């Protein structure tokens, strides 16, 4: 679920944390040493840093936010100087073995060799591959992360297989993408259903705050349907050389010794004559596996990547009367309150000819229907007479998995846990992680001519954590500050009225770049945050307002 992502930057600003230090690709933290394994150690290291900062900080903000502010300053100030990539081949020397291939497969650069799905491959890690044989990578999952990963790999000549079981995917998702994503991922403007220039934040007492006054004329938040976006990305990957497999991934056999292949088993629905519902069971041998198969990742399970907490997102697609749809033509709404979610928010987002009405929660998954009814009741004056077109539900990860790389298998997107707290933004980060992982594979395999190993894939993890690790830690802690009680939620909406908050919010979200904060503005906002929290926590709640 990817909303307008306003909450993330707003909260970072409100807690006196320079939002651009956490919400942008430009922010950096010192990369972990080679001894660190997976995201769990990094998260613990960052947590300790935050606690130490909190104990010594004198900034006028809540204790959690103060620690985060100190962490943000350290993170932004520490210019990460990455070690140069080793130029020598990895263990295994220059020798390589290719066994069990047919005569056609042994001939370099032939169609038979390029299209073979069942070749037996055993090659020493780090070695140069035989002439005519390219590195083989299977990407499991065809969402934004998997499709962008497969596209980047295939364009560089790596033999790429993209396995997706739902080619008409309609994942329950707010569908908001930042403006920069259109250019960065070369997306056609036609896939954008609505250009949202107005965002209404609605408090537990229905106080409405209009966000977006600082947007320039050409700026907007893109609202897309996942079935449209994902289909475009998958087709582009296929056109660039990825072999798209319409199939259900069932599991895989891990290498039994160094350098052996992964053997994937899947149900192929395209080749099942007269039995498309059950599919035809097939196997595929590859050198590398990328898990892009969502929160319930089977790849993560097979490699023992560990579990994580997850939220349940529930959404209804509704066609509403034309006069009401006119109101939402360039507007999105976010509702907060105990009635719509105990730890998240609810939304009404516009699509091409309907709206998406939904909510999510981590701590009360069994109550999701109750919270969905809550958002229907709160938004009733604006969606009355709506016809439900589709009901969708899906798990959303709440933090990165303990391990995201094992041997020659790596996780990206939701499978890795790359959804931000507070906002639930995941589309951009899924696509970005897929591309970053692919670029590392391309570079370290010398465009598919060498075998890679776990160290090569861990470089992608280190780069990701250096760029975005602090973002997830900060937003996790800030969500606890503002999403815990209705009094705190009232303060959150009040802070959204600040022009400074809106400026930092949209600059950080739309472009994912460092915009630079005003220290004086941060101090003023920090003081306003404290006074607002104290006021709303020590007064009788306002009367419930009626939405117009």
């Amino acid at each position: 679920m990817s909303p307008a992502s306003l909450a993330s930057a707003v909260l970072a600003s409100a807690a006196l944390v320079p939002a651009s230090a956490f919400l942008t690709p430009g922010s950096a933290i010192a990369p972990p040493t080679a001894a660190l394994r997976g995201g769990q150690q990094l998260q613990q290291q960052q947590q300790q840093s935050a606690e130490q900062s909190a104990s010594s900080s004198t900034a006028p903000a809540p204790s959690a936010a103060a620690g985060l502010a100190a962490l943000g300053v350290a993170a932004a100030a520490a210019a990460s100087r990455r070690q140069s990539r080793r130029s020598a081949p990895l263990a295994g020397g220059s020798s390589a073995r290719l066994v069990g291939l047919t005569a056609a497969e042994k001939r370099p650069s032939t169609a038979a060799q390029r299209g073979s799905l069942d070749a037996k491959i055993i090659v020493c890690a780090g070695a140069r591959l035989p002439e005519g044989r390219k590195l083989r990578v299977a990407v499991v999952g065809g969402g934004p992360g998997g499709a962008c990963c497969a596209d980047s790999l295939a364009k560089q000549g790596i033999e790429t297989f993209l396995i997706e079981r739902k080619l008409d995917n309609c994942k329950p998702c707010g569908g908001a993408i930042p403006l920069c994503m259109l250019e960065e991922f070369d997306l056609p403007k036609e896939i954008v259903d609505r250009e949202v220039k107005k965002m209404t934040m609605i408090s537990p007492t229905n106080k409405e705050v209009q966000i977006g006054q600082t947007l320039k004329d050409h700026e907007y938040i893109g609202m897309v349907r996942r079935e449209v976006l994902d289909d475009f990305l998958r087709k582009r990957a296929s056109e660039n050389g990825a072999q798209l497999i319409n199939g259900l991934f069932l599991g895989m056999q891990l290498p039994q010794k160094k350098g052996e292949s992964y053997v994937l088993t899947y149900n192929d629905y395209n080749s099942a004559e007269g039995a498309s519902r059950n599919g035809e069971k097939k196997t595929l041998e590859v050198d590398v596996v990328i898990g892009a198969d969502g929160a319930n990742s089977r790849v993560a399970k097979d490699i023992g990547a560990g579990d994580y907490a997850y939220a349940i997102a529930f959404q209804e697609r509704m066609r509403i009367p034309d006069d009401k749809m006119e109101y939402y033509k360039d507007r999105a709404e976010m509702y907060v309150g105990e009635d719509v979610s105990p730890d998240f928010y609810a939304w009404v987002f516009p699509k091409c000819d309907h709206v998406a009405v939904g909510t999510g929660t981590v701590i009360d998954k069994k109550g999701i229907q109750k919270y969905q009814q809550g958002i229907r009741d709160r938004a009733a004056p604006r969606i009355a007479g709506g016809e439900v077109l589709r009901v969708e539900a899906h798990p959303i990860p709440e933090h990165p998995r303990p391990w995201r790389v094992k041997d020659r298998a790596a996780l990206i997107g939701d499978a890795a846990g790359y959804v931000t707290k507070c906002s639930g933004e995941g589309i951009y980060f899924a696509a970005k992680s897929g591309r970053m992982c692919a670029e590392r594979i391309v570079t370290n395999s010398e465009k598919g001519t060498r075998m890679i190993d776990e160290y090569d894939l861990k470089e992608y993890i280190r780069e990701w954590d250096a760029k975005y690790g602090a973002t997830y830690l900060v937003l996790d802690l800030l969500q606890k500050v503002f999403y815990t009680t209705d009094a705190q939620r009232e303060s959150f909406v009040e802070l959204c009225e600040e022009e400074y908050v809106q400026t930092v919010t949209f600059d950080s979200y739309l472009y994912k770049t460092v915009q630079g904060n005003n220290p004086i503005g941060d101090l003023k906002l920090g003081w306003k945050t404290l006074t607002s929290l104290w006021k709303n926590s020590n007064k009788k709640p306002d009367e419930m307002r009626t939405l117009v």
Side-chain angles (χ1 to χ4, degrees):
M1 173 178 47
S2 177
S5 193
L6 292 168
S8 54
V10 169
L11 293 178
S13 303
L16 199 57
V17 181
S20 56
F22 298 110
L23 297 176
T24 66
S27 62
I29 57 175
T33 65
L36 292 179
R37 300 178 58 85
Q40 192 173 39
Q41 289 95 330
L42 177 63
Q43 195 172 35
Q44 293 172 350
Q45 186 183 57
Q46 293 170 337
Q47 179 69 36
Q48 292 171 358
S49 176
E51 292 172 353
Q52 292 170 358
S53 300
S55 64
S56 58
S57 173
T58 59
S63 59
L68 295 172
L71 177 60
V73 172
S80 173
R81 297 181 177 179
R82 299 186 49 78
Q83 296 178 349
S84 59
R85 170 76 179 124
R86 21 172 215 185
S87 56
L90 299 175
S94 60
S95 62
R97 295 187 294 121
L98 187 62
V99 300
L101 297 179
T102 65
E105 287 171 323
K106 292 179 181 178
R107 290 195 297 270
S109 303
T110 66
Q113 187 273 332
R114 289 284 299 162
S116 175
L117 296 180
D118 57 356
K120 303 293 182 181
I121 50 177
I122 302 178
V123 182
C124 297
R128 182 171 295 279
L129 297 172
E131 184 178 355
R133 160 99 140 95
K134 288 287 190 175
L135 188 74
R136 291 181 175 179
V137 180
V139 181
V140 181
C148 288
C149 182
D151 182 50
S152 297
L153 291 169
K155 282 194 296 189
Q156 296 299 322
I158 290 177
E159 193 166 3
T160 307
F161 306 93
L162 178 59
I163 304 175
E164 172 59 49
R165 70 179 178 88
K166 290 185 65 178
L167 297 181
D168 60 345
N169 177 45
C170 295
K171 178 183 175 182
C173 176
I177 60 173
L179 186 61
C180 67
M181 188 173 179
L182 294 173
E183 180 177 356
E184 185 176 349
F185 290 89
D186 195 22
L187 300 177
K189 194 173 180 180
E190 291 72 30
I191 71 170
V192 176
D193 285 341
R194 298 281 178 174
E195 298 180 8
V196 170
K197 297 177 178 290
K198 303 172 185 175
M199 171 65 75
T200 303
M201 306 294 298
I202 304 175
S203 78
T205 59
N206 275 349
K207 176 181 179 179
E208 299 184 59
V209 171
Q210 306 304 324
I211 309 293
Q213 289 91 331
T214 62
L215 285 176
K216 300 178 178 63
D217 290 341
H218 70 282
E219 293 178 330
Y220 61 87
I221 300 167
M223 289 291 172
V224 301
R225 285 166 290 162
R226 283 291 302 274
E227 59 268 31
V228 175
L229 173 66
D230 294 10
D231 181 64
F232 170 81
L233 293 174
R234 283 193 293 263
K235 286 180 178 177
R236 184 169 67 181
S238 178
E239 292 168 357
N240 286 327
Q243 298 186 44
L244 180 58
I245 298 175
N246 178 15
L248 172 63
F249 174 70
L250 301 175
M252 62 183 177
Q253 178 182 322
L254 305 181
Q256 299 303 304
K257 56 184 179 181
K258 186 175 181 179
E260 284 191 350
S261 62
Y262 289 83
V263 182
L264 281 63
T265 302
Y266 64 95
N267 277 341
D268 189 340
Y269 296 121
N270 280 338
S271 63
E273 297 181 6
S276 60
R277 180 172 298 180
N278 297 322
E280 179 182 353
K281 186 171 291 188
K282 290 187 176 183
T283 60
L284 170 67
E285 292 197 26
V286 296
D287 304 306
V288 180
V289 177
I290 305 300
D293 47 342
N296 289 328
S297 171
R298 181 59 189 262
V299 173
K301 180 178 179 180
D302 286 351
I303 67 175
D307 296 325
Y308 52 21
Y310 64 92
I312 288 293
F314 190 96
Q315 176 174 276
E316 293 173 305
R317 307 264 196 114
M318 300 179 64
R319 180 172 288 119
I320 58 179
D322 292 343
D323 60 328
K324 290 181 169 56
M325 193 66 210
E326 179 68 16
Y327 172 78
Y328 286 110
K329 67 178 182 180
D330 60 353
R331 181 189 304 275
E333 292 181 329
M334 292 174 60
Y335 293 74
V336 291
E338 193 72 28
D339 57 331
V340 297
S341 177
D343 56 338
F344 207 55
Y345 64 90
W347 63 89
V348 179
F349 288 168
K351 304 298 179 182
C352 58
D353 59 354
H354 62 278
V355 293
V357 182
T359 185
T361 178
V362 178
I363 65 176
D364 189 13
K365 300 179 183 65
K366 293 182 179 180
I368 190 67
Q369 294 279 2
K370 174 181 66 177
Y371 301 121
Q372 180 66 15
Q373 186 59 50
I375 178 57
R376 289 177 63 121
D377 292 342
R378 287 272 297 277
R382 292 171 181 169
I383 62 174
E387 173 191 1
V388 177
L389 305 176
R390 177 180 295 167
V391 178
E392 304 162 338
H394 200 76
I396 304 295
E398 281 293 290
H399 58 77
R401 288 190 188 272
W403 292 273
R404 289 162 282 163
V405 168
K406 287 289 186 72
D407 196 8
R408 284 173 281 120
L411 304 176
I412 61 176
D414 282 13
Y418 295 152
V419 175
T420 61
K421 284 291 191 73
C422 299
S423 68
E425 183 183 4
I427 295 178
Y428 175 84
F429 291 112
K432 188 70 172 181
S433 65
R435 176 173 286 184
M436 287 178 64
C437 182
E439 289 173 345
R440 180 48 53 194
I441 292 173
V442 168
T443 299
N444 290 1
S445 70
E446 298 180 12
K447 294 189 176 181
T449 62
R450 287 185 178 274
M451 182 63 67
I452 66 170
D453 63 7
E454 184 174 296
Y455 181 91
D456 297 302
L457 290 176
K458 280 190 174 179
E459 283 199 2
Y460 137 67
I461 297 296
R462 286 190 283 270
E463 290 170 349
W464 178 267
D465 287 341
K467 184 169 288 190
Y468 300 116
T471 299
Y472 293 93
L473 175 63
V474 167
L475 297 182
D476 186 8
L477 296 178
L478 288 178
Q479 183 170 0
K480 295 178 174 63
V481 174
F482 287 97
Y483 279 9
T484 303
T485 68
D486 277 353
Q488 292 166 318
R489 296 181 185 105
E490 289 286 349
S491 294
F492 164 59
V493 174
E494 284 182 6
L495 294 170
C496 291
E497 290 185 288
E498 295 293 313
E499 181 178 345
Y500 179 64
V501 170
Q502 295 185 29
T503 299
V504 173
T505 293
F506 281 104
D507 285 348
S508 299
Y509 171 69
L510 292 179
Y511 302 108
K512 295 293 187 288
T513 57
V514 175
Q515 300 297 322
N517 285 49
N518 181 342
I520 295 178
D522 285 338
L523 287 172
K524 290 180 178 178
L525 186 58
W527 177 251
K528 185 174 180 64
T529 300
L530 285 175
T531 56
S532 178
L533 287 170
W534 184 88
K535 177 191 69 176
N536 287 310
S537 296
N538 291 277
K539 76 168 188 174
K540 181 180 178 180
D542 294 337
E543 294 294 327
M544 193 72 174
R545 300 168 177 84
T546 300
L547 294 182
V548 178

